[in-house]
Amino acid sequence: MQSHLIQTTTNNILKSISEFDDVNAIILKDNTLAKKLNVSRTTIRTSLKELEKKGVIEINDNHKVVVRAPVETDYFDTSDGVSSKEEIIEKYFLDLINHGKLLPGDKFSELELAKSSGCNTITVREFLIKFSRFGLIEKKPRAKWKMVKFDEKFALELVEFRRILEMSSITKLMAMPTDDDVWQELAELLDRHVEVLAEVENRYTELSELDRKFHFIVQRASGNRFFMQFFDVVSLICHYHYQWNKGDELERNKVALEEHVAIITQLLAHNTSGVLTAMETHLNTAKKTLLRSAHGLE
């Protein structure tokens, strides 16, 4: 069964298609849909494959053409995917940050966020007040907010906390049985990294999704609910502050992808010392990157 994000994205693509009178004239493009729906290209491609299975579109290499109009049975039932307005605004807001729609220095109002997310202003205000404790946003007059960055002290504390979580979790991951599904999951993730690296100049922006997937697998191995609660926050803050400096994004992402490959390769070989060494290298690189972002350096 596909995730709620894939189901929602597929439904949104179907809605976009249904807006045209002549659907046979529609050519779908990954980049255009990703920007319009505020999701990654990987998510778009997965959703388009779902539509190909349903017979709505035909995919021939990079050429994607609509072959028939959507019908009601093409849509996923997402009624149980999100259970509350609080979850809706949280997911919507975090997606804006993760996909670079809200950058450091940007200002926004509670009303704007309420309209774009489909939530009421009270729900939005309560969420923002609660979220502000992470130090990424600050309150401004007249129900407005500003995206901010943290200082070096905050960055160092975050890096140290992340190191404790990651090193503890990856040790437990290495102790998992060799027939556990996680090893197949890691093998598939390694293949995806290799594919992206082969076309890294065009696909380096896919790091964010792969990075979250990789570190999620590591943290999940901890079996600790508190580790998992902090995982999203740590991941979000790190990637948010990388957005300050776009100058070396290609090279930075390439290095991160290569470091992931090194770690996963050692994991699949069940080489404990190799895993720990590769993980230390990766965390040290992340520390340097985060500190550069905290200083606002090029």
Side-chain angles (χ1 to χ4, degrees):
M1 182 178 178
Q2 291 292 357
S3 68
H4 179 69
L5 175 60
I6 297 301
Q7 292 182 9
T8 302
T9 303
T10 303
N11 287 352
N12 287 335
I13 296 174
L14 287 168
K15 290 177 184 176
S16 296
I17 293 173
S18 64
E19 293 172 358
F20 289 83
D21 293 329
D22 183 9
V23 296
N24 294 311
I26 303 173
I27 297 177
L28 303 173
K29 296 184 178 180
D30 296 354
N31 287 339
T32 303
L33 287 170
K35 290 179 181 178
K36 179 179 180 179
L37 302 180
N38 192 29
V39 295
S40 69
R41 286 181 298 169
T42 300
T43 298
I44 291 296
R45 285 194 287 268
T46 303
S47 294
L48 290 176
K49 287 179 181 177
E50 286 296 316
L51 293 183
E52 183 182 33
K53 292 177 186 176
K54 295 173 182 289
V56 178
I57 69 173
E58 286 184 354
I59 300 177
N60 184 11
D61 293 328
N62 292 324
H63 198 61
K64 305 171 182 73
V65 180
V66 177
V67 294
R68 68 168 175 81
V71 295
E72 187 175 348
T73 54
D74 291 326
Y75 290 81
F76 284 106
D77 180 4
T78 58
S79 56
D80 295 328
V82 179
S83 60
S84 70
K85 287 291 185 181
E86 290 77 11
E87 290 174 333
I88 292 175
I89 182 58
E90 178 178 15
K91 181 184 182 306
Y92 181 80
F93 187 73
L94 297 187
D95 280 348
L96 289 178
I97 293 177
N98 281 323
H99 292 100
K101 303 298 183 180
L102 278 178
L103 299 174
D106 285 354
K107 294 180 181 179
F108 61 93
S109 72
E110 294 171 5
L111 182 59
E112 291 170 345
L113 193 56
K115 287 182 177 179
S116 60
S117 67
C119 298
N120 60 56
T121 54
I122 295 176
T123 300
V124 168
R125 185 179 305 117
E126 290 176 347
F127 165 75
L128 293 174
I129 291 172
K130 185 166 58 175
F131 186 79
S132 64
R133 73 182 187 274
F134 298 128
L136 293 187
I137 60 176
E138 63 180 14
K139 186 78 174 66
K140 293 295 181 182
R142 296 185 293 277
K144 294 196 174 182
W145 296 79
K146 181 181 178 180
M147 307 299 296
V148 298
K149 76 167 187 172
F150 51 61
D151 58 20
E152 181 178 336
K153 183 175 183 296
F154 190 109
L156 287 171
E157 290 173 354
L158 181 70
V159 166
E160 181 58 28
F161 182 61
R162 182 185 184 186
R163 182 181 298 276
I164 293 170
L165 295 182
E166 300 257 7
M167 296 307 288
S168 173
S169 297
I170 205 164
T171 300
K172 292 185 177 180
L173 175 57
M174 287 185 289
M176 298 185 75
T178 55
D179 60 349
D180 193 282
D181 290 343
V182 71
W183 302 111
Q184 179 59 36
E185 198 174 357
L186 284 168
E188 293 173 359
L189 187 60
L190 178 59
D191 290 341
R192 289 187 60 193
H193 276 73
V194 172
E195 289 174 5
V196 172
L197 277 170
E199 305 177 70
V200 69
E201 291 188 0
N202 297 318
R203 300 179 62 180
Y204 66 92
T205 57
E206 293 180 36
L207 168 69
S208 180
E209 181 183 352
L210 292 176
D211 186 79
R212 192 182 188 287
K213 177 67 173 176
F214 168 66
H215 289 284
F216 175 81
I217 292 174
V218 172
Q219 289 298 343
R220 187 182 62 196
S222 70
N224 187 313
R225 73 186 70 181
F226 299 106
F227 278 26
M228 295 308 298
Q229 286 176 0
F230 283 106
F231 166 75
D232 278 334
V233 175
V234 172
S235 177
L236 172 69
I237 292 176
C238 287
H239 282 286
Y240 168 70
H241 281 86
Y242 292 164
Q243 294 173 15
W244 277 91
N245 179 12
K246 292 288 188 180
D248 64 344
E249 187 177 15
L250 170 57
E251 181 58 31
R252 186 176 70 225
N253 288 10
K254 182 173 181 288
V255 169
L257 288 164
E258 291 171 341
E259 290 178 350
H260 284 180
V261 167
I263 298 168
I264 299 172
T265 299
Q266 295 300 323
L267 278 168
L268 293 174
H270 301 284
N271 182 351
T272 300
S273 61
V275 169
L276 295 178
T277 299
M279 192 65 171
E280 281 285 354
T281 298
H282 185 53
L283 292 174
N284 286 336
T285 299
K287 176 181 178 180
K288 293 175 184 176
T289 301
L290 195 60
L291 287 175
R292 283 202 305 271
S293 296
H295 286 298
L297 297 177
E298 291 296 325

